[in-house]
């Protein structure tokens, strides 16, 4: 596969002249697909739910959608489609001649007719090592199809090596090196705020360079061109546009003609073992044999192609089909246990276990030892068992994300506790501890004691909370329970969001609340500079101009001067508020620095940070609230 066939990356298209490819004949672009007939609001929400590369693919499925998603008409859609991995990057791939023409003539991009952009597609698609079947989702030009020069019989999607869009930019398509012109190698690279095009125009002095793509929307800025440029100028995942996988390794997995990171690859493949669990597997078995697959000990299929086959047979995609099957299986089990006498008694025992566990969770003893008078032999009181947990044992969990009232949902599924399981909604939680009541038979219930129930409750709480155990993330322990893990993650996400908005994580007036070294200060200053809050070399944000004061009708300014000063101060306050808003937005979705080691983690954002702390810094995740996002 050759990546450097063309020295110049001539980007973006709205009209094309297909070149003849030796593997495929010319296929005309459809006029419409019916998708453009839906309301604009719904169309935009659909575009928000798909990755930019599929949005780019959608823009070439028909002429009507190509117009809707062009720079002139769909620039705001492409801005909303920017992945968080590009939010802190600076502009690199703009056509200065095109933007200069817009600013010189004082026209918005929407006022330009699509026919005024004679663009063309050059080059051939990337070579792919397999051939799609006739039933493939991508073999039809009417569904997510690329132009003929970009759509071959062997590739579901191919980025061209050279696309012309206005004046060409000098962008080196160097996938092997780390010094590609116009690319920010890492989020902490020095000098990444430089945003100069290769052919600057003298009449563009008034245009404000975009130093952070995730900042405020700029009407005179081609976001579509910028996204495609970042995909082509380096080895980024074509789905999320990250430059690193979750294991911090470079993105290098080519499958089905698409460059994936590890996380996106898992979301876009389905194993043959998972397909065999479907009730419809026999109906689609022959069609699956025609699909190309990737093998790593087992067969993996491209999920969009499997979805296309399932829709043609069942009307549902893979995810919905699997969910419907799980709902039906769970409902059948609920109906079975509801009419069983043994299961009814087991549910009562489980409720007793939860009640005893709640008492232990609060530090009380549900079954204390009896104090007997040695002389009279009478009961004189109760004494808590010495080995029982105190009220401080579970406080770190109880006061943060696992209140006593919600303890039951971490120990048993909801339908295992309800009086009428068939009336309980579908429970999507997965992974549970071993149920101590499954070994009970009809004759065992009479022999149960409070001590047996209390011991089972204590054992389950131990397995739920002992994160230091080497088997904690295996079946039967708390790390395997999805409800428990999600509750802890949601707590930390809410905490990080609250701290970011309140300013306790980053002191917006001067410096971070907690010092983590010079790297931390430099990263925060660079991001503040990108958001227009301060200079990168300065630790302080500039002070805002004061509003002019007046007492009654007497002022020290003339009326015109008073209005001018007041408007200047109001504008500065608004700009400061807007800058802080986008600073918080970028930190929320793009932070990559571990607060404990100062090294980078992937995937980005608060979700990636919380998962990184869970895996790499378990003590900070489970027992403290001391880690913060540091940029």
């Amino acid at each position: 596969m050759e990546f450097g066939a063309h020295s110049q990356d001539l980007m973006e298209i709205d009209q094309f002249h297909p070149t003849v490819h030796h593997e495929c004949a010319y296929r005309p672009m459809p006029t419409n697909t019916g998708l453009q007939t839906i309301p604009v609001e719904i169309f935009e929400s659909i575009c928000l739910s798909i990755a930019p590369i599929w949005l780019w693919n959608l823009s070439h499925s028909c002429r009507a959608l190509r117009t809707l998603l062009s720079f002139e008409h769909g620039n705001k859609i492409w801005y909303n489609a920017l992945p968080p991995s590009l939010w802190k990057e600076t502009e690199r791939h703009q056509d200065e001649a095109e933007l200069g023409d817009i600013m010189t003539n004082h026209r918005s991009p929407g006022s330009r007719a699509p026919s005024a952009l004679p663009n063309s597609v050059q080059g051939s698609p990337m070579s792919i090592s397999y051939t799609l079947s006739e039933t493939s989702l991508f073999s039809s030009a009417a569904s997510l199809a690329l132009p003929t020069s970009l759509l071959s019989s062997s590739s579901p999607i191919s980025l061209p090596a050279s696309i012309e869009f206005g004046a060409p930019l000098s962008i080196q398509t160097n996938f092997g090196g780390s010094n590609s012109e116009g690319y920010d190698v890492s989020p902490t690279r020095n000098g990444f705020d430089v945003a100069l095009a290769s052919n600057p125009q003298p009449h563009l002095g008034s245009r404000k360079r975009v130093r952070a793509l995730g900042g405020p929307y700029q009407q005179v800025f081609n976001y579509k061109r910028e996204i495609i440029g970042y995909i082509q100028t380096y080895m980024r995942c074509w789905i999320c546009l990250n430059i690193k996988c979750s294991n911090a390794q470079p993105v290098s997995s080519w499958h089905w003609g698409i460059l994936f990171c590890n996380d996106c690859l898992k979301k876009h493949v389905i194993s043959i073992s998972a397909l065999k669990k479907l009730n419809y597997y026999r109906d689609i078995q022959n069609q699956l044999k025609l699909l190309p697959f990737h093998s790593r000990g087992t067969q993996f299929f491209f999920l969009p192609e499997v979805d296309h086959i399932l829709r043609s047979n069942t009307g549902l995609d893979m995810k919905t089909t699997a969910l419907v099957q799980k709902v039906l299986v769970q409902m059948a089990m609920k109906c079975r246990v509801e009419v069983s006498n043994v299961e009814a008694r087991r549910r009562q025992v489980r409720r007793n276990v939860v009640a005893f566990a709640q008492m232990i969770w609060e530090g009380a003893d549900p079954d204390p030892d009896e104090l007997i008078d040695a002389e009279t032999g009478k009961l004189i009181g109760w004494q808590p068992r010495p080995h029982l947990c105190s009220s401080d044992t579970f406080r770190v969990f109880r006061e943060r994300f696992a209140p006593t009232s919600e303890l039951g949902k971490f120990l048993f599924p909801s339908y295992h506790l309800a009086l009428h399981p068939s009336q309980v909604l579908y429970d999507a939680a997965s992974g549970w501890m071993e149920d101590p009541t499954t070994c009970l038979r009809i004759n065992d219930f009479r022999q149960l004691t409070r001590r047996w129930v209390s011991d089972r409750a204590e054992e389950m709480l131990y397995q739920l909370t002992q994160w230091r155990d080497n088997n904690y993330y295996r079946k039967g322990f708390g790390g395997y329970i999805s409800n428990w893990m999600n509750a802890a993650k949601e707590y930390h996400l809410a905490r990080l969001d609250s701290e970011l908005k309140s300013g306790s994580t980053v002191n917006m007036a001067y410096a971070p609340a907690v010092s983590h070294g010079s790297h931390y200060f430099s990263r925060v200053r660079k991001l503040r500079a990108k958001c227009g809050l301060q200079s990168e070399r300065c630790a302080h944000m500039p002070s805002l101009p004061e509003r002019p004061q007046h007492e009654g009708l007497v002022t020290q300014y003339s009326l015109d001067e008073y209005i001018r000063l007041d408007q200047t101060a109001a504008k500065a306050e608004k700009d400061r508020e807007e800058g802080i808003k986008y600073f918080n937005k970028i930190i929320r979705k793009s932070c990559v620095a571990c607060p404990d080691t100062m090294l980078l983690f992937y995937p980005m954002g608060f979700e990636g940070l919380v998962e990184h702390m869970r895996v790499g810094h378990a003590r900070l995740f489970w027992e403290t609230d001391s880690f913060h996002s540091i940029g």
Side-chain angles (χ1 to χ4, degrees), residues 225-241:
R225 179 185 176 91
E226 202 70 28
I227 290 174
I228 302 302
Y230 270 102
I231 290 178
Q232 288 199 321
T233 52
Y234 202 74
M235 296 285 282
R236 286 180 177 266
C237 172
W238 286 12
I239 307 299
C240 64
L241 273 75

Side-chain angles (χ1 to χ4, degrees), residues 252-264:
S252 59
S253 299
W254 285 95
H255 301 287
W256 298 281
I258 303 174
L259 182 60
F260 289 104
C261 65
N262 293 343
D263 294 331
C264 292

Side-chain angles (χ1 to χ4, degrees), residues 14-15 67 70 72-73 107-119:
D14 280 310
Q15 305 208 5
T67 302
S70 64
E72 293 80 6
H73 303 283
R107 294 183 299 178
S108 64
S111 64
R112 304 181 63 188
S115 58
L117 297 175
N119 304 310

Side-chain angles (χ1 to χ4, degrees), residues 421-542:
S422 62
Q423 300 179 8
V424 178
L425 297 177
Y426 171 72
D427 189 356
S430 61
W432 298 99
M433 289 181 287
E434 184 178 355
D435 190 345
T437 66
T438 54
C439 61
L440 298 178
R441 298 298 182 263
I442 193 65
N443 296 326
D444 298 333
F445 294 100
R446 297 179 181 178
Q447 304 174 6
L448 292 182
T449 62
R450 292 178 60 89
R451 183 57 56 90
W452 184 91
V453 177
S454 177
D455 291 344
R456 301 293 83 75
E458 189 175 1
E459 289 175 3
M460 295 187 76
L461 291 181
Y462 175 83
Q463 295 172 347
L464 182 68
T465 59
Q466 292 303 312
W467 55 268
R468 292 182 176 86
D469 195 301
N470 293 332
N471 298 319
Y472 186 67
Y473 292 101
R474 296 183 178 179
K475 186 176 181 180
F477 290 84
Y480 187 74
I481 303 174
S482 61
N483 277 349
W484 179 253
M485 299 294 296
N486 292 336
K489 291 180 180 180
E490 290 173 2
Y491 167 78
H492 283 297
L493 288 175
R495 176 182 63 83
L496 291 173
D497 281 333
S498 176
E499 292 173 351
L500 184 63
K501 294 177 181 178
S502 64
S504 58
T505 301
V506 179
N507 185 343
M508 297 305 297
Y510 170 63
V514 181
S515 174
H516 293 272
S518 59
H519 291 291
Y520 172 44
F521 288 100
S522 63
R523 289 168 181 168
V524 172
R525 290 175 185 173
K526 287 177 180 178
L527 185 55
R528 286 180 179 176
K530 282 175 171 283
C531 296
L533 294 173
Q534 68 178 58
S535 171
E536 184 179 332
R537 298 178 179 274
C538 181
H540 295 269
M541 286 196 299

Side-chain angles (χ1 to χ4, degrees), residues 267-425:
K267 298 176 182 178
H268 287 77
V269 298
I270 184 71
S271 65
I272 187 65
S273 58
L275 289 171
K276 288 182 178 179
K277 297 179 181 178
L278 297 179
N279 296 333
Y280 301 99
Y281 175 70
R282 292 185 178 180
D283 299 336
I284 64 175
Q285 186 175 6
N286 293 332
Q287 292 174 281
L288 289 176
K289 293 180 181 179
L290 301 176
L291 293 182
F293 62 88
H294 174 68
S295 178
R296 285 185 178 179
T298 184
Q299 294 181 2
F300 289 91
F301 296 95
F302 192 43
L303 185 57
E305 293 186 324
V306 176
D307 287 340
H308 178 68
I309 293 177
L310 281 171
R311 285 193 187 98
S312 63
N313 287 269
T314 66
L316 304 175
D317 60 4
M318 176 63 195
K319 183 177 180 180
T320 308
T321 302
L323 180 59
V324 169
Q325 184 168 317
K326 289 180 181 179
V327 172
L328 295 177
V329 170
Q330 191 177 112
M331 178 56 66
M333 182 183 61
K334 292 175 183 178
C335 295
R336 179 182 61 83
V337 300
E338 188 168 2
V339 299
S340 171
N341 186 27
V342 175
E343 288 295 337
R345 298 191 180 189
R346 287 175 179 172
R347 290 197 299 273
Q348 180 59 46
V349 175
R350 295 187 194 109
R351 289 192 289 269
N352 293 337
V353 171
V354 171
F356 279 28
Q358 289 176 341
M359 297 178 65
I360 299 174
W361 197 249
E362 293 285 351
D365 188 352
D367 187 35
D369 294 329
E370 297 179 348
L371 292 179
I372 306 298
D373 191 339
E375 297 181 357
T376 62
K378 295 182 178 181
L379 178 64
I380 60 176
W382 306 88
Q383 181 179 4
R385 287 172 288 175
H387 64 84
L388 197 66
C389 302
S390 65
S391 60
D392 296 332
T393 304
F394 305 110
R395 176 177 295 179
V396 66
F397 307 103
R398 184 177 67 244
E399 295 182 351
R400 294 163 68 236
F401 60 87
T404 305
S405 60
E406 299 183 6
L407 186 61
K409 72 176 185 180
F410 305 129
L411 303 180
F412 299 101
S414 57
Y415 54 87
H416 280 179
L417 301 174
L419 291 173
H420 303 285
S422 62
Q423 300 179 8
V424 178
L425 297 177

